[in-house]
Amino acid sequence: MSRTIVFRRLSNGEGIDPPRYETAGSAGADIRAAVEDAITLAPGARAAISTGFAFAVPQGFEMQIRPRSGLAARHGVTVLNAPGTVDSDFRGEVKVLLVNLGAYPFTIGRGDRIAQIVIAPVTLCRFEETDDLGVTIRGAGGFGSTGV
């Protein structure tokens, strides 16, 4: 099924390709950097990278900002708050919070593919307080409680 997501190109997005699915089976559309000058991320550094676009995500959906696996595997560069969420009522420029977890500086140039976006449905819930959550086998066992 295909949906239409409308977007507005901002002045810093002139000449930047809009998001695009690179293959017919891609779940995520690549989004690019709309930086004026190249930005070099030192190891451990992070930066909010402009994309040059604002989107009208339909109500009932979110736009998830996810890492590109190649950047993560080859350079240790990933989306810090992965997945980042663009809510349906946000109309500002989408920026990607990148972090360099690698051992070497990484340079981001204008038009470089920096992340992918996935449009996903959102389920809104009511939150109700209770004193009894019920019993499960796992119970309150947290991190690592089910083994390695």
mmCIF file of all heavy atoms in Angstrom, residues 50-104:
data_model
loop_
_atom_site.group_PDB
_atom_site.id
_atom_site.type_symbol
_atom_site.label_atom_id
_atom_site.label_comp_id
_atom_site.label_asym_id
_atom_site.label_seq_id
_atom_site.Cartn_x
_atom_site.Cartn_y
_atom_site.Cartn_z
ATOM 1 N N SER A 50 20.835 19.254 9.479
ATOM 2 C CA SER A 50 19.672 19.718 8.723
ATOM 3 C C SER A 50 19.416 18.835 7.510
ATOM 4 O O SER A 50 20.353 18.323 6.892
ATOM 5 C CB SER A 50 19.898 21.157 8.242
ATOM 6 O OG SER A 50 19.984 22.035 9.334
ATOM 7 N N THR A 51 18.123 18.678 7.171
ATOM 8 C CA THR A 51 17.753 17.924 5.963
ATOM 9 C C THR A 51 17.188 18.823 4.869
ATOM 10 O O THR A 51 17.081 18.398 3.728
ATOM 11 C CB THR A 51 16.707 16.841 6.278
ATOM 12 O OG1 THR A 51 15.489 17.474 6.683
ATOM 13 C CG2 THR A 51 17.211 15.886 7.350
ATOM 14 N N GLY A 52 16.765 20.037 5.240
ATOM 15 C CA GLY A 52 16.213 20.961 4.247
ATOM 16 C C GLY A 52 14.752 20.728 3.927
ATOM 17 O O GLY A 52 14.231 21.320 2.987
ATOM 18 N N PHE A 53 14.076 19.878 4.713
ATOM 19 C CA PHE A 53 12.680 19.561 4.442
ATOM 20 C C PHE A 53 11.848 19.587 5.718
ATOM 21 O O PHE A 53 12.326 19.244 6.793
ATOM 22 C CB PHE A 53 12.547 18.167 3.814
ATOM 23 C CG PHE A 53 13.187 18.052 2.465
ATOM 24 C CD1 PHE A 53 14.424 17.457 2.318
ATOM 25 C CD2 PHE A 53 12.554 18.564 1.338
ATOM 26 C CE1 PHE A 53 15.031 17.367 1.076
ATOM 27 C CE2 PHE A 53 13.148 18.479 0.084
ATOM 28 C CZ PHE A 53 14.391 17.880 -0.045
ATOM 29 N N ALA A 54 10.581 19.968 5.554
ATOM 30 C CA ALA A 54 9.565 19.840 6.593
ATOM 31 C C ALA A 54 8.466 18.966 6.003
ATOM 32 O O ALA A 54 8.205 19.022 4.790
ATOM 33 C CB ALA A 54 9.020 21.206 6.996
ATOM 34 N N PHE A 55 7.821 18.159 6.829
ATOM 35 C CA PHE A 55 6.851 17.175 6.353
ATOM 36 C C PHE A 55 5.510 17.338 7.051
ATOM 37 O O PHE A 55 5.452 17.797 8.189
ATOM 38 C CB PHE A 55 7.369 15.750 6.624
ATOM 39 C CG PHE A 55 8.635 15.429 5.902
ATOM 40 C CD1 PHE A 55 9.867 15.768 6.443
ATOM 41 C CD2 PHE A 55 8.597 14.787 4.675
ATOM 42 C CE1 PHE A 55 11.040 15.478 5.775
ATOM 43 C CE2 PHE A 55 9.775 14.498 3.996
ATOM 44 C CZ PHE A 55 10.994 14.842 4.550
ATOM 45 N N ALA A 56 4.457 16.925 6.371
ATOM 46 C CA ALA A 56 3.127 16.837 6.967
ATOM 47 C C ALA A 56 2.807 15.351 7.123
ATOM 48 O O ALA A 56 2.215 14.728 6.243
ATOM 49 C CB ALA A 56 2.090 17.526 6.099
ATOM 50 N N VAL A 57 3.234 14.806 8.233
ATOM 51 C CA VAL A 57 2.972 13.390 8.522
ATOM 52 C C VAL A 57 1.496 13.273 8.886
ATOM 53 O O VAL A 57 1.006 14.022 9.731
ATOM 54 C CB VAL A 57 3.866 12.893 9.684
ATOM 55 C CG1 VAL A 57 3.539 11.456 10.040
ATOM 56 C CG2 VAL A 57 5.347 13.056 9.326
ATOM 57 N N PRO A 58 0.759 12.364 8.251
ATOM 58 C CA PRO A 58 -0.678 12.249 8.545
ATOM 59 C C PRO A 58 -0.931 11.859 9.997
ATOM 60 O O PRO A 58 -0.150 11.114 10.598
ATOM 61 C CB PRO A 58 -1.157 11.134 7.610
ATOM 62 C CG PRO A 58 -0.100 10.989 6.577
ATOM 63 C CD PRO A 58 1.178 11.420 7.214
ATOM 64 N N GLN A 59 -2.037 12.357 10.543
ATOM 65 C CA GLN A 59 -2.422 11.976 11.899
ATOM 66 C C GLN A 59 -2.606 10.466 11.941
ATOM 67 O O GLN A 59 -3.103 9.854 11.012
ATOM 68 C CB GLN A 59 -3.722 12.670 12.302
ATOM 69 C CG GLN A 59 -4.040 12.473 13.755
ATOM 70 C CD GLN A 59 -5.163 13.388 14.227
ATOM 71 O OE1 GLN A 59 -5.671 14.208 13.485
ATOM 72 N NE2 GLN A 59 -5.540 13.232 15.477
ATOM 73 N N GLY A 60 -2.173 9.859 13.045
ATOM 74 C CA GLY A 60 -2.223 8.404 13.173
ATOM 75 C C GLY A 60 -0.948 7.728 12.722
ATOM 76 O O GLY A 60 -0.836 6.501 12.769
ATOM 77 N N PHE A 61 0.040 8.539 12.286
ATOM 78 C CA PHE A 61 1.330 8.006 11.831
ATOM 79 C C PHE A 61 2.454 8.808 12.466
ATOM 80 O O PHE A 61 2.246 9.893 12.992
ATOM 81 C CB PHE A 61 1.450 8.079 10.304
ATOM 82 C CG PHE A 61 0.525 7.149 9.592
ATOM 83 C CD1 PHE A 61 -0.779 7.518 9.335
ATOM 84 C CD2 PHE A 61 0.953 5.893 9.196
ATOM 85 C CE1 PHE A 61 -1.652 6.661 8.691
ATOM 86 C CE2 PHE A 61 0.087 5.023 8.557
ATOM 87 C CZ PHE A 61 -1.214 5.406 8.298
ATOM 88 N N GLU A 62 3.647 8.252 12.413
ATOM 89 C CA GLU A 62 4.865 8.950 12.804
ATOM 90 C C GLU A 62 5.896 8.723 11.713
ATOM 91 O O GLU A 62 5.814 7.757 10.947
ATOM 92 C CB GLU A 62 5.409 8.420 14.136
ATOM 93 C CG GLU A 62 5.918 6.995 14.022
ATOM 94 C CD GLU A 62 6.735 6.528 15.206
ATOM 95 O OE1 GLU A 62 7.487 7.330 15.781
ATOM 96 O OE2 GLU A 62 6.633 5.338 15.546
ATOM 97 N N MET A 63 6.867 9.606 11.641
ATOM 98 C CA MET A 63 8.025 9.399 10.779
ATOM 99 C C MET A 63 9.177 9.013 11.694
ATOM 100 O O MET A 63 9.556 9.784 12.575
ATOM 101 C CB MET A 63 8.367 10.669 9.994
ATOM 102 C CG MET A 63 9.616 10.536 9.147
ATOM 103 S SD MET A 63 10.071 12.112 8.355
ATOM 104 C CE MET A 63 8.782 12.230 7.129
ATOM 105 N N GLN A 64 9.688 7.815 11.518
ATOM 106 C CA GLN A 64 10.822 7.357 12.315
ATOM 107 C C GLN A 64 12.113 7.684 11.573
ATOM 108 O O GLN A 64 12.224 7.443 10.374
ATOM 109 C CB GLN A 64 10.739 5.855 12.558
ATOM 110 C CG GLN A 64 9.539 5.431 13.357
ATOM 111 C CD GLN A 64 9.460 3.922 13.516
ATOM 112 O OE1 GLN A 64 10.257 3.162 12.975
ATOM 113 N NE2 GLN A 64 8.458 3.486 14.274
ATOM 114 N N ILE A 65 13.074 8.238 12.305
ATOM 115 C CA ILE A 65 14.399 8.521 11.751
ATOM 116 C C ILE A 65 15.315 7.412 12.247
ATOM 117 O O ILE A 65 15.518 7.252 13.451
ATOM 118 C CB ILE A 65 14.937 9.887 12.231
ATOM 119 C CG1 ILE A 65 13.912 11.003 12.029
ATOM 120 C CG2 ILE A 65 16.278 10.196 11.563
ATOM 121 C CD1 ILE A 65 13.574 11.310 10.602
ATOM 122 N N ARG A 66 15.839 6.643 11.304
ATOM 123 C CA ARG A 66 16.647 5.478 11.659
ATOM 124 C C ARG A 66 18.042 5.571 11.058
ATOM 125 O O ARG A 66 18.235 6.208 10.032
ATOM 126 C CB ARG A 66 15.980 4.203 11.140
ATOM 127 C CG ARG A 66 14.621 3.947 11.750
ATOM 128 C CD ARG A 66 14.084 2.659 11.232
ATOM 129 N NE ARG A 66 12.767 2.352 11.769
ATOM 130 C CZ ARG A 66 12.155 1.215 11.563
ATOM 131 N NH1 ARG A 66 12.723 0.273 10.836
ATOM 132 N NH2 ARG A 66 10.959 1.009 12.076
ATOM 133 N N PRO A 67 18.999 4.872 11.675
ATOM 134 C CA PRO A 67 20.360 4.875 11.129
ATOM 135 C C PRO A 67 20.423 4.171 9.773
ATOM 136 O O PRO A 67 19.590 3.325 9.457
ATOM 137 C CB PRO A 67 21.162 4.074 12.156
ATOM 138 C CG PRO A 67 20.315 4.000 13.369
ATOM 139 C CD PRO A 67 18.896 4.109 12.915
ATOM 140 N N ARG A 68 21.429 4.526 9.007
ATOM 141 C CA ARG A 68 21.758 3.771 7.798
ATOM 142 C C ARG A 68 22.782 2.721 8.218
ATOM 143 O O ARG A 68 23.796 3.048 8.836
ATOM 144 C CB ARG A 68 22.327 4.687 6.722
ATOM 145 C CG ARG A 68 21.277 5.679 6.224
ATOM 146 C CD ARG A 68 21.679 6.381 4.943
ATOM 147 N NE ARG A 68 21.790 5.389 3.877
ATOM 148 C CZ ARG A 68 22.894 5.160 3.182
ATOM 149 N NH1 ARG A 68 23.998 5.820 3.438
ATOM 150 N NH2 ARG A 68 22.905 4.253 2.235
ATOM 151 N N SER A 69 22.515 1.479 7.890
ATOM 152 C CA SER A 69 23.365 0.390 8.369
ATOM 153 C C SER A 69 24.799 0.506 7.866
ATOM 154 O O SER A 69 25.736 0.170 8.592
ATOM 155 C CB SER A 69 22.765 -0.966 7.997
ATOM 156 O OG SER A 69 22.608 -1.067 6.600
ATOM 157 N N GLY A 70 24.990 0.987 6.657
ATOM 158 C CA GLY A 70 26.342 1.122 6.119
ATOM 159 C C GLY A 70 27.172 2.122 6.900
ATOM 160 O O GLY A 70 28.357 1.885 7.184
ATOM 161 N N LEU A 71 26.578 3.261 7.266
ATOM 162 C CA LEU A 71 27.312 4.251 8.069
ATOM 163 C C LEU A 71 27.663 3.682 9.433
ATOM 164 O O LEU A 71 28.755 3.904 9.949
ATOM 165 C CB LEU A 71 26.473 5.532 8.248
ATOM 166 C CG LEU A 71 26.317 6.448 7.055
ATOM 167 C CD1 LEU A 71 25.482 7.665 7.431
ATOM 168 C CD2 LEU A 71 27.667 6.869 6.507
ATOM 169 N N ALA A 72 26.722 2.956 10.019
ATOM 170 C CA ALA A 72 26.964 2.374 11.344
ATOM 171 C C ALA A 72 28.050 1.301 11.277
ATOM 172 O O ALA A 72 28.976 1.291 12.097
ATOM 173 C CB ALA A 72 25.673 1.795 11.910
ATOM 174 N N ALA A 73 27.966 0.415 10.303
ATOM 175 C CA ALA A 73 28.914 -0.703 10.215
ATOM 176 C C ALA A 73 30.314 -0.250 9.815
ATOM 177 O O ALA A 73 31.303 -0.714 10.389
ATOM 178 C CB ALA A 73 28.407 -1.737 9.211
ATOM 179 N N ARG A 74 30.398 0.654 8.850
ATOM 180 C CA ARG A 74 31.711 1.062 8.337
ATOM 181 C C ARG A 74 32.377 2.170 9.150
ATOM 182 O O ARG A 74 33.601 2.236 9.223
ATOM 183 C CB ARG A 74 31.595 1.491 6.881
ATOM 184 C CG ARG A 74 31.368 0.330 5.929
ATOM 185 C CD ARG A 74 31.533 0.725 4.474
ATOM 186 N NE ARG A 74 30.402 1.445 3.934
ATOM 187 C CZ ARG A 74 29.259 0.886 3.539
ATOM 188 N NH1 ARG A 74 29.093 -0.418 3.642
ATOM 189 N NH2 ARG A 74 28.281 1.618 3.056
ATOM 190 N N HIS A 75 31.566 3.067 9.731
ATOM 191 C CA HIS A 75 32.144 4.261 10.359
ATOM 192 C C HIS A 75 31.740 4.459 11.826
ATOM 193 O O HIS A 75 32.264 5.354 12.481
ATOM 194 C CB HIS A 75 31.753 5.509 9.570
ATOM 195 C CG HIS A 75 32.119 5.440 8.125
ATOM 196 N ND1 HIS A 75 33.416 5.561 7.676
ATOM 197 C CD2 HIS A 75 31.359 5.220 7.024
ATOM 198 C CE1 HIS A 75 33.442 5.443 6.357
ATOM 199 N NE2 HIS A 75 32.206 5.227 5.939
ATOM 200 N N GLY A 76 30.777 3.679 12.320
ATOM 201 C CA GLY A 76 30.311 3.873 13.685
ATOM 202 C C GLY A 76 29.421 5.095 13.841
ATOM 203 O O GLY A 76 29.217 5.574 14.949
ATOM 204 N N VAL A 77 28.887 5.595 12.732
ATOM 205 C CA VAL A 77 28.022 6.782 12.767
ATOM 206 C C VAL A 77 26.575 6.316 12.778
ATOM 207 O O VAL A 77 26.151 5.538 11.921
ATOM 208 C CB VAL A 77 28.299 7.708 11.566
ATOM 209 C CG1 VAL A 77 27.304 8.855 11.520
ATOM 210 C CG2 VAL A 77 29.729 8.238 11.652
ATOM 211 N N THR A 78 25.805 6.805 13.744
ATOM 212 C CA THR A 78 24.437 6.342 13.911
ATOM 213 C C THR A 78 23.549 7.491 14.373
ATOM 214 O O THR A 78 24.027 8.576 14.692
ATOM 215 C CB THR A 78 24.389 5.145 14.893
ATOM 216 O OG1 THR A 78 23.096 4.564 14.863
ATOM 217 C CG2 THR A 78 24.758 5.549 16.301
ATOM 218 N N VAL A 79 22.254 7.228 14.421
ATOM 219 C CA VAL A 79 21.291 8.194 14.934
ATOM 220 C C VAL A 79 21.258 8.034 16.447
ATOM 221 O O VAL A 79 20.975 6.949 16.953
ATOM 222 C CB VAL A 79 19.896 7.971 14.303
ATOM 223 C CG1 VAL A 79 18.867 8.905 14.908
ATOM 224 C CG2 VAL A 79 19.974 8.154 12.782
ATOM 225 N N LEU A 80 21.548 9.103 17.170
ATOM 226 C CA LEU A 80 21.707 9.027 18.620
ATOM 227 C C LEU A 80 20.425 8.610 19.327
ATOM 228 O O LEU A 80 20.460 7.811 20.248
ATOM 229 C CB LEU A 80 22.201 10.369 19.164
ATOM 230 C CG LEU A 80 22.558 10.397 20.643
ATOM 231 C CD1 LEU A 80 23.643 9.374 20.971
ATOM 232 C CD2 LEU A 80 23.016 11.785 21.040
ATOM 233 N N ASN A 81 19.293 9.129 18.915
ATOM 234 C CA ASN A 81 18.016 8.826 19.574
ATOM 235 C C ASN A 81 17.200 7.834 18.751
ATOM 236 O O ASN A 81 15.993 7.950 18.654
ATOM 237 C CB ASN A 81 17.222 10.107 19.813
ATOM 238 C CG ASN A 81 16.924 10.842 18.525
ATOM 239 O OD1 ASN A 81 17.709 10.818 17.578
ATOM 240 N ND2 ASN A 81 15.794 11.522 18.479
ATOM 241 N N ALA A 82 17.880 6.852 18.171
ATOM 242 C CA ALA A 82 17.235 5.930 17.242
ATOM 243 C C ALA A 82 16.180 5.059 17.909
ATOM 244 O O ALA A 82 16.443 4.490 18.956
ATOM 245 C CB ALA A 82 18.286 5.036 16.577
ATOM 246 N N PRO A 83 15.010 4.907 17.304
ATOM 247 C CA PRO A 83 14.608 5.770 16.196
ATOM 248 C C PRO A 83 14.088 7.107 16.710
ATOM 249 O O PRO A 83 13.364 7.160 17.695
ATOM 250 C CB PRO A 83 13.491 4.982 15.513
ATOM 251 C CG PRO A 83 12.875 4.182 16.612
ATOM 252 C CD PRO A 83 14.000 3.878 17.580
ATOM 253 N N GLY A 84 14.469 8.161 16.024
ATOM 254 C CA GLY A 84 13.894 9.466 16.314
ATOM 255 C C GLY A 84 12.464 9.493 15.800
ATOM 256 O O GLY A 84 12.124 8.765 14.864
ATOM 257 N N THR A 85 11.625 10.295 16.412
ATOM 258 C CA THR A 85 10.228 10.370 16.002
ATOM 259 C C THR A 85 9.875 11.775 15.552
ATOM 260 O O THR A 85 10.163 12.741 16.264
ATOM 261 C CB THR A 85 9.298 9.970 17.166
ATOM 262 O OG1 THR A 85 9.490 8.579 17.440
ATOM 263 C CG2 THR A 85 7.827 10.193 16.816
ATOM 264 N N VAL A 86 9.256 11.870 14.376
ATOM 265 C CA VAL A 86 8.656 13.117 13.916
ATOM 266 C C VAL A 86 7.152 12.920 14.060
ATOM 267 O O VAL A 86 6.564 12.058 13.401
ATOM 268 C CB VAL A 86 9.033 13.435 12.456
ATOM 269 C CG1 VAL A 86 8.340 14.707 11.984
ATOM 270 C CG2 VAL A 86 10.553 13.541 12.312
ATOM 271 N N ASP A 87 6.546 13.691 14.956
ATOM 272 C CA ASP A 87 5.111 13.571 15.230
ATOM 273 C C ASP A 87 4.276 14.199 14.123
ATOM 274 O O ASP A 87 4.747 15.067 13.375
ATOM 275 C CB ASP A 87 4.784 14.259 16.561
ATOM 276 C CG ASP A 87 5.463 13.589 17.740
ATOM 277 O OD1 ASP A 87 5.306 12.371 17.893
ATOM 278 O OD2 ASP A 87 6.150 14.301 18.498
ATOM 279 N N SER A 88 3.016 13.776 14.051
ATOM 280 C CA SER A 88 2.126 14.255 12.984
ATOM 281 C C SER A 88 1.798 15.736 13.110
ATOM 282 O O SER A 88 1.395 16.355 12.128
ATOM 283 C CB SER A 88 0.833 13.438 12.948
ATOM 284 O OG SER A 88 0.102 13.628 14.144
ATOM 285 N N ASP A 89 1.978 16.341 14.276
ATOM 286 C CA ASP A 89 1.667 17.765 14.425
ATOM 287 C C ASP A 89 2.900 18.663 14.331
ATOM 288 O O ASP A 89 2.811 19.870 14.504
ATOM 289 C CB ASP A 89 0.903 18.032 15.724
ATOM 290 C CG ASP A 89 1.653 17.592 16.973
ATOM 291 O OD1 ASP A 89 2.714 16.932 16.847
ATOM 292 O OD2 ASP A 89 1.173 17.902 18.075
ATOM 293 N N PHE A 90 4.069 18.100 13.997
ATOM 294 C CA PHE A 90 5.299 18.894 13.851
ATOM 295 C C PHE A 90 5.430 19.352 12.402
ATOM 296 O O PHE A 90 5.305 18.545 11.478
ATOM 297 C CB PHE A 90 6.519 18.065 14.255
ATOM 298 C CG PHE A 90 7.822 18.786 14.077
ATOM 299 C CD1 PHE A 90 8.149 19.851 14.890
ATOM 300 C CD2 PHE A 90 8.719 18.403 13.099
ATOM 301 C CE1 PHE A 90 9.359 20.535 14.730
ATOM 302 C CE2 PHE A 90 9.926 19.061 12.929
ATOM 303 C CZ PHE A 90 10.247 20.133 13.746
ATOM 304 N N ARG A 91 5.696 20.628 12.192
ATOM 305 C CA ARG A 91 5.822 21.170 10.841
ATOM 306 C C ARG A 91 7.146 21.875 10.600
ATOM 307 O O ARG A 91 7.328 22.562 9.608
ATOM 308 C CB ARG A 91 4.666 22.133 10.536
ATOM 309 C CG ARG A 91 3.301 21.456 10.470
ATOM 310 C CD ARG A 91 3.232 20.473 9.308
ATOM 311 N NE ARG A 91 1.923 19.893 9.156
ATOM 312 C CZ ARG A 91 1.528 18.761 9.708
ATOM 313 N NH1 ARG A 91 2.351 18.081 10.488
ATOM 314 N NH2 ARG A 91 0.316 18.291 9.501
ATOM 315 N N GLY A 92 8.104 21.706 11.513
ATOM 316 C CA GLY A 92 9.406 22.332 11.344
ATOM 317 C C GLY A 92 10.352 21.460 10.539
ATOM 318 O O GLY A 92 10.011 20.360 10.097
ATOM 319 N N GLU A 93 11.550 21.968 10.345
ATOM 320 C CA GLU A 93 12.563 21.222 9.605
ATOM 321 C C GLU A 93 12.941 19.955 10.362
ATOM 322 O O GLU A 93 13.162 19.981 11.571
ATOM 323 C CB GLU A 93 13.823 22.064 9.398
ATOM 324 C CG GLU A 93 14.894 21.298 8.631
ATOM 325 C CD GLU A 93 16.171 22.094 8.401
ATOM 326 O OE1 GLU A 93 16.377 23.103 9.111
ATOM 327 O OE2 GLU A 93 16.941 21.678 7.522
ATOM 328 N N VAL A 94 13.010 18.859 9.632
ATOM 329 C CA VAL A 94 13.484 17.607 10.210
ATOM 330 C C VAL A 94 15.007 17.654 10.239
ATOM 331 O O VAL A 94 15.650 17.939 9.220
ATOM 332 C CB VAL A 94 12.978 16.391 9.403
ATOM 333 C CG1 VAL A 94 13.679 15.110 9.836
ATOM 334 C CG2 VAL A 94 11.475 16.261 9.558
ATOM 335 N N LYS A 95 15.546 17.410 11.417
ATOM 336 C CA LYS A 95 16.992 17.314 11.584
ATOM 337 C C LYS A 95 17.305 15.927 12.120
ATOM 338 O O LYS A 95 16.481 15.312 12.786
ATOM 339 C CB LYS A 95 17.492 18.385 12.546
ATOM 340 C CG LYS A 95 17.316 19.783 11.989
ATOM 341 C CD LYS A 95 17.918 20.827 12.884
ATOM 342 C CE LYS A 95 17.734 22.205 12.259
ATOM 343 N NZ LYS A 95 18.426 23.232 13.061
ATOM 344 N N VAL A 96 18.492 15.455 11.810
ATOM 345 C CA VAL A 96 18.916 14.121 12.220
ATOM 346 C C VAL A 96 20.037 14.269 13.235
ATOM 347 O O VAL A 96 21.060 14.902 12.954
ATOM 348 C CB VAL A 96 19.395 13.298 11.007
ATOM 349 C CG1 VAL A 96 19.904 11.931 11.438
ATOM 350 C CG2 VAL A 96 18.263 13.157 9.985
ATOM 351 N N LEU A 97 19.848 13.701 14.419
ATOM 352 C CA LEU A 97 20.852 13.767 15.477
ATOM 353 C C LEU A 97 21.831 12.611 15.287
ATOM 354 O O LEU A 97 21.553 11.470 15.655
ATOM 355 C CB LEU A 97 20.174 13.694 16.846
ATOM 356 C CG LEU A 97 21.062 13.912 18.060
ATOM 357 C CD1 LEU A 97 21.831 15.223 17.976
ATOM 358 C CD2 LEU A 97 20.222 13.873 19.322
ATOM 359 N N LEU A 98 22.969 12.921 14.670
ATOM 360 C CA LEU A 98 23.989 11.910 14.404
ATOM 361 C C LEU A 98 25.055 11.933 15.491
ATOM 362 O O LEU A 98 25.369 12.987 16.052
ATOM 363 C CB LEU A 98 24.668 12.163 13.056
ATOM 364 C CG LEU A 98 23.852 11.909 11.809
ATOM 365 C CD1 LEU A 98 24.695 12.183 10.554
ATOM 366 C CD2 LEU A 98 23.303 10.496 11.774
ATOM 367 N N VAL A 99 25.614 10.760 15.771
ATOM 368 C CA VAL A 99 26.725 10.632 16.707
ATOM 369 C C VAL A 99 27.780 9.740 16.056
ATOM 370 O O VAL A 99 27.453 8.776 15.363
ATOM 371 C CB VAL A 99 26.266 10.053 18.078
ATOM 372 C CG1 VAL A 99 25.702 8.648 17.934
ATOM 373 C CG2 VAL A 99 27.395 10.095 19.087
ATOM 374 N N ASN A 100 29.020 10.090 16.294
ATOM 375 C CA ASN A 100 30.133 9.290 15.786
ATOM 376 C C ASN A 100 30.656 8.420 16.919
ATOM 377 O O ASN A 100 31.364 8.888 17.805
ATOM 378 C CB ASN A 100 31.247 10.199 15.252
ATOM 379 C CG ASN A 100 32.417 9.411 14.682
ATOM 380 O OD1 ASN A 100 32.426 8.185 14.713
ATOM 381 N ND2 ASN A 100 33.403 10.124 14.167
ATOM 382 N N LEU A 101 30.292 7.152 16.888
ATOM 383 C CA LEU A 101 30.768 6.187 17.875
ATOM 384 C C LEU A 101 32.025 5.464 17.395
ATOM 385 O O LEU A 101 32.515 4.566 18.069
ATOM 386 C CB LEU A 101 29.662 5.172 18.196
ATOM 387 C CG LEU A 101 28.366 5.766 18.747
ATOM 388 C CD1 LEU A 101 27.324 4.683 18.939
ATOM 389 C CD2 LEU A 101 28.623 6.526 20.031
ATOM 390 N N GLY A 102 32.501 5.854 16.231
ATOM 391 C CA GLY A 102 33.688 5.227 15.657
ATOM 392 C C GLY A 102 34.971 5.776 16.240
ATOM 393 O O GLY A 102 34.979 6.666 17.098
ATOM 394 N N ALA A 103 36.094 5.271 15.726
ATOM 395 C CA ALA A 103 37.418 5.635 16.224
ATOM 396 C C ALA A 103 38.046 6.794 15.454
ATOM 397 O O ALA A 103 39.061 7.331 15.873
ATOM 398 C CB ALA A 103 38.343 4.417 16.156
ATOM 399 N N TYR A 104 37.447 7.183 14.326
ATOM 400 C CA TYR A 104 38.036 8.210 13.466
ATOM 401 C C TYR A 104 37.021 9.310 13.174
ATOM 402 O O TYR A 104 35.819 9.061 13.162
ATOM 403 C CB TYR A 104 38.507 7.587 12.146
ATOM 404 C CG TYR A 104 39.467 6.458 12.355
ATOM 405 C CD1 TYR A 104 39.031 5.135 12.259
ATOM 406 C CD2 TYR A 104 40.802 6.698 12.674
ATOM 407 C CE1 TYR A 104 39.907 4.080 12.469
ATOM 408 C CE2 TYR A 104 41.685 5.645 12.883
ATOM 409 C CZ TYR A 104 41.230 4.347 12.776
ATOM 410 O OH TYR A 104 42.091 3.304 12.992
#
